[in-house]
Amino acid sequence: MNGAVARSPRGKLGRAFALALVCAGLTLSGCQKTYYTVLEQVGVEKRELLARRVTKAKESQQEAQEEFRDALEQFQAVTGHRGGELEERYEDLRDSYERSAEQARDVRERIDAVESVADALLDEWRDELERYEDASLRHRSSERLRSTAREVQRLLCAMHRAERSLDPVLRKLQDRVL
């Protein structure tokens, strides 16, 4: 049974997670290549990691959007209401702002994670191009690399554009909370 668990996707991810924790210090110290190498040794490929990180970044952006919408509704409730509950509504607004700020930080971190694994994947691909002996295969792989790099750049530009749109809203909301 242990063999079955170790070969299952969940077992693979569990081992990868444990090794990732061990390698966290390596990642923080700038040893990205070692971190990705260790993950690959337990069966987690960079492309899988990239796909997961892109999905998490998208989810994080959607959560941030919902949090901002909730914070705006709170703000509208505060500014539209005059009465004894004003302080309570202020606290709700401040809490909404803090949650929105946290969501914005989460979005930034997830975009950075996507960018990191994408860079590592593309760097590895570039290194592999030099090992081809067949010129036509090298050329085809090089063309696919360029196409993939353009798509990654397009994706990252869209993510950064969404990220930049968070700051003006946060600043306005913070002004109102202050």
Side-chain angles (χ1 to χ4, degrees), residues 8 12 38-39 54-55 57 80 103 118 127 134-135 144 148 158 160 171:
S8 74
K12 180 170 59 169
V38 170
L39 285 178
V54 166
T55 299
Q103 287 290 329
D127 292 343
D134 185 317
R144 289 180 61 202
T148 301
H160 284 298
R171 283 193 300 270

Side-chain angles (χ1 to χ4, degrees), residues 80-91:
H81 179 73
R82 302 285 184 239
E85 299 176 6
L86 188 58
E87 185 173 350
E88 181 180 319
R89 290 188 178 260
Y90 165 75
E91 295 295 328

Side-chain angles (χ1 to χ4, degrees), residues 13-172:
L13 289 176
R15 286 183 315 204
F17 180 72
L19 283 172
L21 287 176
V22 170
C23 295
L26 293 173
T27 301
L28 294 174
S29 67
C31 298
Q32 292 285 336
K33 189 170 187 169
T34 303
Y35 171 74
Y36 295 126
T37 300
V38 170
L39 285 178
E40 285 179 347
Q41 288 174 352
V42 295
V44 179
E45 298 292 329
K46 286 184 201 83
R47 64 183 169 268
E48 293 174 39
L49 192 56
L50 176 62
R52 277 191 237 138
R53 287 183 178 180
V54 166
T55 299
K56 290 286 187 184
K58 181 180 178 184
E59 290 169 358
S60 182
Q61 287 176 331
Q62 288 170 340
E63 289 170 8
Q65 185 179 25
E66 290 171 18
E67 193 62 48
F68 275 71
R69 194 174 308 123
D70 291 345
L72 180 60
E73 288 172 7
Q74 290 284 333
F75 171 69
Q76 290 169 338
V78 167
T79 58
H81 179 73
R82 302 285 184 239
E85 299 176 6
L86 188 58
E87 185 173 350
E88 181 180 319
R89 290 188 178 260
Y90 165 75
E91 295 295 328
D92 290 343
L93 177 63
R94 188 184 66 204
D95 291 345
S96 292
Y97 165 73
E98 289 171 0
R99 284 192 308 273
S100 295
E102 180 62 34
Q103 287 290 329
R105 279 190 294 279
D106 190 42
V107 166
R108 286 182 188 93
E109 289 171 4
R110 291 188 186 277
I111 291 171
D112 290 346
V114 167
E115 203 161 11
S116 171
V117 74
D119 287 345
L121 179 65
L122 294 173
D123 286 345
E124 179 182 359
W125 195 340
R126 285 182 197 98
D127 292 343
E128 289 174 355
L129 285 176
E130 297 171 11
R131 298 191 337 230
Y132 277 98
E133 289 187 29
D134 185 317
S136 68
L137 289 176
R138 183 181 325 111
H139 179 72
R140 281 196 314 217
S141 184
S142 178
E143 288 297 315
R144 289 180 61 202
L145 170 61
R146 278 194 286 277
S147 173
T148 301
R150 281 191 301 271
E151 285 300 309
V152 165
Q153 189 60 35
R154 185 189 60 75
L155 174 67
L156 288 172
C157 283
M159 290 177 150
H160 284 298
R161 200 171 31 255
E163 175 188 19
R164 284 190 304 272
S165 71
L166 300 176
D167 288 332
V169 176
L170 268 178
R171 283 193 300 270
K172 287 181 181 184

